[in-house]
Amino acid sequence: MEWTIGELAERASAALSPTAQLNGRVRDVPNERLIRWYATIGLLDPPTSRRGRVALYGRRHLLQLVAVKRRQAEGLTIAEIQAELAGASDQALETIADLPSPPPPAPPAAKSESTRPRFWTKPPRTPHPTQVNGVRLAPGVTLMLDGGRPLSPAALADIGTAAEALLAVLREHDLVPDHEGNQS
C-alpha cells in the first residue's frame, strides 16, 4: 500500500495520537514539511515511487517516521536518532514504532478480459537495507561504518588512535568541543 505525503502524515498522526506526549521542543505529530526535512537529512528513505509529480510512501516510511517521533519523545536528539536508525531493519523499526500489524491483504479482484494491468502500478525494486555500525569519536562526532560486522576492542582502539588527528582539526575549526567539553 502506498500513500501520498499528506496521507503518510495522517497515518503517523493517528499512530502517535494516543501516546503523543512530547516535550515543548518538538512537534508531537509530523506535518508534510517535517516529513520532507526528515527525508532530506536521511531519517526517511526516499519515496517508494512517484505518480507524476506526486511522491508515494509505504509502510517502511511510516515506521521510520513514528520511530523518530517516539525517540524524540524519549528526549533523544536528531543526531542520536540518526545514529541509531541509520540502516535500521524493518524489524528494528517495528519494535521502536510499536505499530499494530497491518491488516491482511484483500483478495485480488477478478480481472475481466478487457482489463490490462497498468505497468506503473508495480512496486519498484528497493535495495535491501545495510546494517551500519556507529563509533562515537567525541561528543557530536560519530563514524558510521557500513557492513554491520562487529568491531573488536582492538579495532575500536585503533580507530580511536587514528581519529585523534581528525578530531584535532575539527577542534581547531571549532566544529567539536575541546577535551574539557568547551567550545573554543
Side-chain angles (χ1 to χ4, degrees):
M1 174 164 281
E2 293 182 317
W3 310 294
T4 65
I5 194 167
E7 293 166 336
L8 176 62
E10 288 173 11
R11 288 186 179 270
S13 296
L16 291 164
S17 62
T19 59
Q21 174 60 39
L22 299 182
N23 59 36
R25 296 182 302 127
V26 295
R27 283 185 59 91
D28 55 348
V29 292
N31 60 23
E32 293 179 22
R33 184 175 180 191
L34 184 64
I35 292 170
R36 285 187 186 98
W37 182 66
Y38 284 170
T40 300
I41 65 171
L43 281 172
L44 250 63
D45 292 345
T48 310
S49 62
R50 294 195 176 270
R51 189 174 0 170
R53 293 181 58 192
V54 177
L56 297 175
Y57 300 85
R59 180 158 174 86
R60 179 171 170 81
H61 296 99
L62 178 62
L63 293 172
Q64 289 173 316
L65 189 53
V66 173
V68 168
K69 299 314 282 180
R70 295 233 192 268
R71 289 303 194 226
Q72 281 184 317
E74 295 168 4
L76 273 68
T77 66
I78 289 292
E80 291 168 329
I81 296 167
Q82 283 175 310
E84 178 186 5
L85 298 183
S89 67
D90 286 356
Q91 184 178 17
L93 292 170
E94 287 274 0
T95 302
I96 296 167
D98 194 25
L99 294 180
S101 298
K111 288 185 194 177
S112 69
E113 298 268 338
S114 62
T115 307
R116 289 184 10 202
R118 297 182 179 165
F119 70 90
W120 63 83
T121 58
K122 233 182 182 180
R125 288 183 17 200
T126 56
H128 295 289
T130 302
Q131 177 116 13
V132 176
N133 282 327
V135 179
R136 179 80 36 137
L137 302 177
V141 181
T142 303
L143 173 65
M144 303 302 285
L145 300 168
D146 286 342
R149 289 189 355 211
L151 298 173
S152 68
L156 289 171
D158 289 345
I159 290 170
T161 301
E164 284 304 318
L166 171 63
L167 292 171
V169 171
L170 293 172
R171 286 185 190 103
E172 182 180 314
H173 292 280
D174 291 329
L175 297 173
V176 294
D178 61 20
H179 293 288
E180 289 79 37
N182 303 319
Q183 200 76 22
S184 307

